[in-house]
Amino acid sequence: VQLQASGGGLVQPGGSLRLSCAASGRIFGYQTMSWFRQAPGKEREFVAAINWYRGTTEYADSVMGRFTASRDRAENTVYLQMTSLKPEDTAVYYCAARSGYLGSEGYEYEYWGQGTLVTVSS
């Protein structure tokens, strides 16, 4: 399984950005795709998860109501729409895949993408 994240960049506080994660390879059976992030000097943290088949989602409290995860099954791509961005959202964002249902712990995920940098600054 290969995961390719993209869409990061520089955005002003209050702005929006959409991240994409394209999955390829033997993705059948990996039912959950998630986003994690790691800010400079901090540990990696869970952001959002989405189930490929049911479309159900799970979010970290810090992004609830501001971020939305979605998926395009035909394109094997998941998205993270980020709105009302804050400076504390600045981080490298990673997508990850697991065979289990949802989940917010990094160790549960079998495959990881390379990350895309999001910088929220004026």
Side-chain angles (χ1 to χ4, degrees), residues 21-117:
C21 178
S24 60
R26 298 176 64 86
I27 62 174
F28 178 78
Y30 291 93
Q31 65 169 310
T32 296
M33 296 286 288
S34 291
W35 292 94
F36 290 79
R37 67 186 181 186
Q38 187 166 20
K42 295 188 176 181
E43 294 186 353
R44 182 180 62 197
E45 64 175 355
F46 169 77
V47 176
I50 185 166
N51 182 265
W52 271 120
Y53 306 110
R54 304 181 188 181
T56 48
T57 54
E58 180 181 354
Y59 297 96
D61 290 343
S62 59
V63 306
M64 186 78 71
R66 300 188 298 122
F67 291 10
T68 303
S70 61
R71 91 280 195 220
D72 183 330
R73 293 176 62 181
E75 296 293 329
N76 291 334
T77 300
V78 295
Y79 302 97
L80 184 68
Q81 179 68 48
M82 305 184 293
T83 63
S84 301
L85 282 161
K86 306 174 182 180
E88 51 263 44
D89 294 318
T90 296
V92 177
Y93 284 70
Y94 299 90
C95 57
R98 67 168 299 206
S99 53
Y101 182 71
L102 298 182
S104 61
E105 298 293 338
Y107 67 81
E108 297 173 308
Y109 288 79
E110 293 105 322
Y111 291 96
W112 293 81
Q114 85 290 359
T116 185
L117 176 63

